[in-house]
């Protein structure tokens, strides 16, 4: 039987997670940026600006992790982008964006307990805080 925790924390599992998160954060940043251009409501604009900054900051944190591991970052934008932008209602799209924030939170909470690398742990803990704050703002 394969131990999923060991697989997640193997070099290959860690690299796959970081690359997947990077693609997802790129998608989130793109969705937030395009949605911001569509938003006129001040509360929606403030939330989207916060999410846009958080997604950009998260990309930088992930790039630092990949560089630390000597890995070349992918150039992909996650499928989340197309799914989110297909939602015409900005209000509904913001709910979907929050579900994306929750997905990242779950991924990070699953990974962090077994992460032994101090730099990666620090960067991903910061990324987790960003997503928790953004999700709380979306729900508040």
């Amino acid at each position: 039987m394969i131990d999923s925790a060991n697989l997640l924390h193997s070099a290959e599992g860690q690299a796959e997670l970081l690359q997947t998160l990077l693609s997802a954060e790129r998608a989130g940043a793109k969705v937030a940026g395009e949605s911001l251009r569509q938003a006129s409501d001040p509360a929606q604009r403030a939330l989207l600006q916060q999410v846009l900054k958080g997604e950009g900051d998260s990309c930088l944190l992930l790039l630092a992790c990949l560089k630390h591991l000597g890995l070349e970052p992918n150039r992909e934008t996650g499928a989340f982008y197309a799914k989110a932008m297909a939602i015409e209602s900005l209000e509904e799209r913001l709910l979907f964006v929050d579900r994306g924030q929750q997905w990242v939170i779950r991924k990070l909470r699953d990974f962090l307990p077994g992460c032994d690398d101090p730099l990666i742990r620090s960067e991903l803990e910061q990324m987790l805080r960003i997503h928790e704050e953004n999700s709380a703002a979306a729900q508040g």
Side-chain angles (χ1 to χ4, degrees):
M1 180 176 208
I2 297 174
D3 180 354
S4 63
N6 286 339
L7 184 61
L8 177 63
H9 292 94
S10 70
E12 295 81 16
Q14 184 172 261
E16 183 179 338
L17 175 69
L18 294 172
Q19 297 284 13
T20 298
L21 289 171
L22 181 59
S23 296
E25 294 304 300
R26 267 196 207 104
K30 205 169 168 184
V31 168
E34 290 187 27
S35 297
L36 186 57
R37 287 191 283 281
Q38 297 172 0
S40 57
D41 177 82
Q44 287 180 337
R45 290 188 59 76
L47 176 60
L48 285 163
Q49 286 169 334
Q50 179 178 336
V51 170
L52 180 59
K53 181 179 181 337
E55 300 295 276
D57 290 348
S58 293
C59 283
L60 294 174
L61 294 167
L62 290 164
L63 289 170
C65 291
L66 290 166
K67 181 178 180 183
H68 171 70
L69 295 172
L71 298 172
E72 187 68 29
N74 70 47
R75 303 272 180 237
E76 299 166 15
T77 298
F80 179 82
Y81 170 74
K83 292 177 184 176
M85 294 311 294
I87 301 170
E88 289 191 31
S89 161
L90 193 52
E91 188 142 330
E92 292 295 318
R93 190 181 309 148
L94 287 172
L95 293 172
F96 187 75
V97 167
D98 184 48
R99 286 198 299 275
Q101 298 285 312
Q102 291 292 324
W103 178 84
V104 172
I105 290 167
R106 282 191 307 277
K107 290 289 185 187
L108 292 173
R109 285 181 180 165
D110 287 347
F111 178 76
L112 281 167
C115 179
D116 296 330
D117 186 301
L119 182 135
I120 292 175
R121 173 176 281 284
S122 174
E123 300 294 89
L124 295 184
E125 284 173 345
Q126 190 174 341
M127 187 174 158
L128 176 59
R129 282 190 299 278
I130 289 168
H131 283 74
E132 288 171 338
E133 289 169 10
N134 287 350
S135 182
Q139 295 173 25

